[in-house]
Amino acid sequence: MSKNNSQQKAWEREYQEPAFISLHDKPQSEVMKFAQWLKKDGAAYLGKNILQDPDRVEPLRLLDLGCGNGRNLVYFTENYHAEGWGIDFSPTAIAHARSNKNDLRITYTVASIGDDAAYASFQDNSFDIIMDITASNALYEGERDIYLREAFRTLKPGGIMMVRSLCLDADKNARNLLEMSPGPEPGMYILPDQLIAEKVFGEEEFRDRYGEFFNIIELTKPSGYQRWAEQSFKRRYIVAYMQKK
């Protein structure tokens, strides 16, 4: 079995019997913070509030990479003049998303965000906003090349990409996992019970990797908690707001 297939099967098991993900319909807190940033600091940076632009005729177009049950897309389409597209490689996650979308303007696809085929129906410069909420951590390097290239291609000039990624800096749990349960590539570990591989970034590596394609407007490293094996572990994240070069 390929690394990619193993990863997809592991995530499908997780969505069928969740150990650390949540399937409720409340948007993630970082997504709501991102919306507030777009309306305030982002508006100052971009010259307008793209979420509430009175001159906008066409809906804002959003792509959620690794959309899970679609709760973040639902938040944007319910609260703003927007339509969304979501990609996730778990059929169970997409089944949840399709059952919860309430006829909103959202299109869901079962695919890997590290596969060219996931983006085949999208034209160049298609999206105003792309979000990746701790999804690309599941990618291997060859897949990450595709994900970055396609995010760049499909984002409109001047468009915004928001990424939340697992952070290595000052995260003792990440360092313990890298030492005790190393993954198949540098900077990857395997969650022992779920057998899910995750990539964790230091800030310097993140800036180097994403900076090839995007100008990083703002980067923060908030803390949060990740639950597995019936325990909660403190984790650090990189949250970056970026603009297409």
Side-chain angles (χ1 to χ4, degrees), residues 109-181:
T109 302
V110 178
S112 168
I113 64 171
D115 187 340
D116 287 302
Y119 307 88
S121 64
F122 303 142
Q123 296 182 353
D124 294 357
N125 309 319
S126 292
F127 298 106
D128 299 283
I129 295 170
I130 296 178
M131 298 185 296
D132 162 17
I133 315 299
T134 332
S136 59
N137 295 104
L139 299 178
Y140 297 100
E141 270 310 302
E143 297 171 317
R144 185 166 288 104
D145 290 338
I146 293 170
Y147 145 87
L148 285 168
R149 184 180 69 239
E150 289 298 310
F152 177 83
R153 179 184 70 82
T154 59
L155 191 61
K156 292 180 180 180
I160 299 296
M161 184 168 181
M162 181 266 198
V163 175
R164 186 181 81 162
S165 178
L166 296 168
C167 180
L168 179 60
D169 304 331
D171 188 322
K172 67 177 183 180
N173 287 307
R175 294 187 182 278
N176 287 340
L177 284 164
L178 288 171
E179 181 179 352
M180 303 300 294
S181 186

Side-chain angles (χ1 to χ4, degrees), residues 30-170:
E30 288 294 348
V31 170
M32 292 188 285
K33 290 177 183 177
F34 175 50
Q36 292 303 309
W37 179 86
L38 286 169
K39 288 188 285 187
K40 295 179 182 179
D41 295 344
Y45 185 87
L46 297 170
K48 62 182 177 180
N49 178 349
I50 64 173
L51 291 187
Q52 297 172 324
D53 182 359
D55 297 324
R56 176 179 291 278
V57 177
E58 296 296 324
L60 200 69
R61 293 169 60 91
L62 290 92
L63 175 62
D64 189 355
L65 300 175
C67 64
N69 71 344
R71 55 186 170 140
N72 297 319
L73 285 173
V74 169
Y75 168 75
F76 273 102
T77 54
E78 280 186 336
N79 291 281
Y80 305 103
H81 183 40
E83 57 186 356
W85 283 259
I87 301 172
D88 201 287
F89 60 15
S90 165
T92 298
I94 294 298
H96 280 289
R98 287 173 174 158
S99 69
N100 292 332
K101 72 176 185 177
N102 300 321
D103 295 324
L104 296 170
R105 291 171 295 188
I106 306 175
T107 301
Y108 293 108
T109 302
V110 178
S112 168
I113 64 171
D115 187 340
D116 287 302
Y119 307 88
S121 64
F122 303 142
Q123 296 182 353
D124 294 357
N125 309 319
S126 292
F127 298 106
D128 299 283
I129 295 170
I130 296 178
M131 298 185 296
D132 162 17
I133 315 299
T134 332
S136 59
N137 295 104
L139 299 178
Y140 297 100
E141 270 310 302
E143 297 171 317
R144 185 166 288 104
D145 290 338
I146 293 170
Y147 145 87
L148 285 168
R149 184 180 69 239
E150 289 298 310
F152 177 83
R153 179 184 70 82
T154 59
L155 191 61
K156 292 180 180 180
I160 299 296
M161 184 168 181
M162 181 266 198
V163 175
R164 186 181 81 162
S165 178
L166 296 168
C167 180
L168 179 60
D169 304 331

